[in-house]
Amino acid sequence: MYGWENTVFQVFTVALLTDLATGLGVLPFVFVKNNMSKRWQGIASAVAGGMMISASVFSLANEAIVHGSVLEAVAGMLAGALFFTQVANRLENNNWQIGNLSASDSKQAVLILTAMFIHSIPEGVAIGVGYATGDLRFGILLALAIAVHNIPEGIAVTLPLYTRGISLWKCAWFAILTSVPQPVLAVPSFLLVSVFKVLLPFGLGFAGGAMIYLVVSELIPNSLSGCSKEETAWGVMVGLVLMLLITSGLGF
């Protein structure tokens, strides 16, 4: 009994550490001023968008197919995009205000945080399912890979927020908040592996679809309003390649 309880505690602790790792994404911005010009804000949005597209396609959608089928991945992606359409429309009809941000910037910030929050749900499930294989070493290695992978995700969250005047401390907390599903869902996934394992492919696709919709509907138009088409295109490419190199290096 003690061994079982100890494993549950370890699952939660490791998942909590992967959550906190997301906050490390603010570190590259410690020496960067947040009063960027409109042009650099546009480029930052493009880079963040490229990172999100890369994570959605090469990590989430790919893993959905590996753990399930193409149809489950596609169904999840379409459901995620549809869900995010409804969220965006609801935010459009409300006067959201975050700090000193404008209404449009506040809306975009909420959408980014929502998309990344959704993105973390299947990662929390993956940690629990990984531990449930019975190989604790595999569970630890998987959680470590997700923790390192969370750092560039923290960067993707911080980029568009910090350039609009949100402090690094707040960016760090927002980044950590987006990964809260990891410690919250890791233990239930470990205890109810048969249930969560079936839902994992759809959940991965759902998160990917939501993030792609966010990039196309918000980040790319925002980038185009601040910089040239060429800069937007190259910003997306740089972000996509950067995230791809990281995820492939970690084996995602």
Side-chain angles (χ1 to χ4, degrees):
M1 183 65 177
Y2 172 76
W4 176 81
E5 290 179 342
N6 189 51
T7 302
V8 169
F9 177 75
Q10 183 177 344
V11 170
F12 176 78
T13 301
V14 168
L16 179 61
L17 292 176
T18 66
D19 177 10
L20 296 176
T22 315
L24 297 178
V26 304
L27 293 181
F29 301 92
V30 171
F31 303 103
V32 178
K33 294 181 179 179
N34 65 356
N35 56 343
M36 291 185 182
S37 65
K38 190 73 175 175
R39 173 172 172 260
W40 281 106
Q41 288 183 28
I43 293 173
S45 290
V47 173
M51 295 178 76
M52 291 182 187
I53 290 175
S54 183
S56 299
V57 176
F58 298 113
S59 295
L60 294 173
N62 181 62
E63 284 297 306
I65 295 171
V66 170
H67 290 284
S69 66
V70 173
L71 289 179
E72 287 176 299
V74 170
M77 293 179 74
L78 292 175
L82 179 61
F83 169 80
F84 217 73
T85 301
Q86 298 303 315
V87 171
N89 289 337
R90 185 172 292 272
L91 290 178
E92 195 74 52
N93 299 323
N94 290 278
N95 294 319
W96 287 86
Q97 195 72 35
I98 298 181
N100 297 322
L101 296 183
S102 65
S104 61
D105 285 344
S106 294
K107 174 198 169 188
Q108 187 179 103
V110 172
L111 289 175
I112 291 171
L113 296 177
T114 301
M116 299 305 287
F117 186 90
I118 293 171
H119 167 82
S120 293
I121 292 175
E123 291 184 342
V125 173
I127 293 173
V129 171
Y131 266 91
T133 61
D135 186 346
L136 296 184
R137 183 168 173 270
F138 172 75
I140 292 174
L141 289 175
L142 176 62
L144 178 61
I146 291 176
V148 177
H149 178 68
N150 278 353
I151 297 175
E153 289 180 2
I155 295 174
V157 171
T158 303
L159 260 174
L161 300 181
Y162 185 58
T163 55
R164 283 163 179 75
I166 294 180
S167 70
L168 277 184
W169 282 111
K170 287 185 178 179
C171 286
W173 282 114
F174 281 140
I176 292 171
L177 178 64
T178 63
S179 291
V180 163
Q182 290 172 17
V184 170
L185 291 177
V187 172
S189 301
F190 170 70
L191 298 175
L192 301 171
V193 60
S194 60
V195 175
F196 281 91
K197 195 170 185 179
V198 172
L199 297 174
L200 186 57
F202 181 85
L204 288 164
F206 188 96
M211 287 178 61
I212 291 173
Y213 185 91
L214 165 71
V215 172
V216 176
S217 66
E218 294 290 333
L219 295 184
I220 290 180
N222 183 75
S223 177
L224 288 170
S225 69
C227 61
S228 67
K229 290 188 294 183
E230 289 78 11
E231 289 171 327
T232 294
W234 276 108
V236 170
M237 282 300 301
V238 168
L240 189 150
V241 170
L242 176 62
M243 184 67 86
L244 177 58
L245 289 173
I246 295 171
T247 54
S248 62
L250 292 172
F252 275 82

